[in-house]
Amino acid sequence: VITVLFPFEAAARNTHLEPKELRGFSKRLDDYYTAVFSLLHSVFTVSPQMRYTVLPSFSPGYAWSLESQDGDKYFLLMNMLEENFWYTGNREMHTKRIDISPNLYHAARELLLTVAGQIRVPDVKEHVLDGVVYYFSVTEKNGAVRTGFTHSPKKDSPMARLVVICDALGGLPE
């Protein structure tokens, strides 16, 4: 029975984002999430138009934020850690700015607003110990920030395609 159910659970998990959970694991994990998110989001605006944060199990994490300046200049701010923060505690990070067109800015924002509107709790809770966790945040028109995540999505699933789009926006290879 488990063999039959697992593929369906995995497939369902890859069709939508799940609500963000960064608290209540253990003191060590809670402290890690607080520190790594504070570090990766350190130069970003408080209310993200769109934010993408990637926490791999073994390689350096990175994040970008969709930003605007003076209402007509659009860009991504990207932070990339030099090493995996969990293992090294190394806070060295590189920041770069990537200018983007207004059309790309608005299209990316609308995409994430749509995806964030479909965040839902999974039917079955999985406890995964490694892989890559992708967090997506967007500020809705009413000012509320919605955040969801996906974990190591299956290739060619809707969430894997979202990851490919977000990595490409940040100038990262597929």
Side-chain angles (χ1 to χ4, degrees):
V1 174
I2 292 173
T3 308
V4 173
L5 292 177
F6 180 74
F8 294 115
E9 292 166 11
R13 179 176 56 94
N14 287 281
T15 61
H16 59 85
L17 295 177
E18 299 175 24
K20 175 178 84 167
E21 293 177 20
L22 298 178
R23 293 264 175 244
F25 297 106
S26 68
K27 175 147 177 43
R28 184 172 184 215
L29 273 176
D30 289 351
D31 290 348
Y32 162 75
Y33 282 121
T34 298
V36 77
F37 273 84
S38 292
L39 181 60
L40 284 171
H41 298 171
S42 62
V43 299
F44 300 161
T45 56
V46 176
S47 296
Q49 292 303 306
M50 179 177 171
R51 186 173 292 160
Y52 175 62
T53 306
V54 181
L55 299 177
S57 292
F58 303 107
S59 54
Y62 56 94
W64 59 248
S65 182
L66 191 63
E67 308 270 337
S68 66
Q69 182 179 359
D70 301 328
D72 65 345
K73 294 181 182 119
Y74 302 98
F75 56 95
L76 294 176
L77 279 181
M78 177 173 266
N79 287 330
M80 297 170 284
L81 293 169
E82 283 201 8
E83 298 179 295
N84 183 287
F85 186 73
W86 175 261
Y87 292 106
T88 67
N90 184 347
R91 294 179 166 272
E92 291 183 44
M93 181 174 60
H94 301 285
T95 301
K96 71 177 180 178
R97 178 182 164 139
I98 302 166
D99 293 322
I100 61 172
S101 72
N103 287 341
L104 182 56
Y105 173 91
H106 293 294
R109 184 161 157 62
E110 286 303 315
L111 171 64
L112 197 56
L113 280 168
T114 300
V115 173
Q118 300 169 9
I119 292 172
R120 68 175 194 249
V121 176
D123 295 332
V124 177
K125 195 75 168 151
E126 295 181 13
H127 297 284
V128 185
L129 301 176
D130 64 4
V132 183
V133 183
Y134 303 90
Y135 295 92
F136 303 85
S137 298
V138 65
T139 300
E140 297 176 319
K141 292 174 177 131
N142 66 5
V145 177
R146 292 196 57 149
T147 300
F149 78 95
T150 188
H151 182 271
S152 297
K154 184 179 175 186
K155 187 177 178 165
D156 296 327
S157 69
M159 293 301 98
R161 290 192 294 271
L162 180 62
V163 166
V164 168
I165 290 167
C166 289
D167 277 348
L169 279 171
L172 299 167
E174 187 175 326

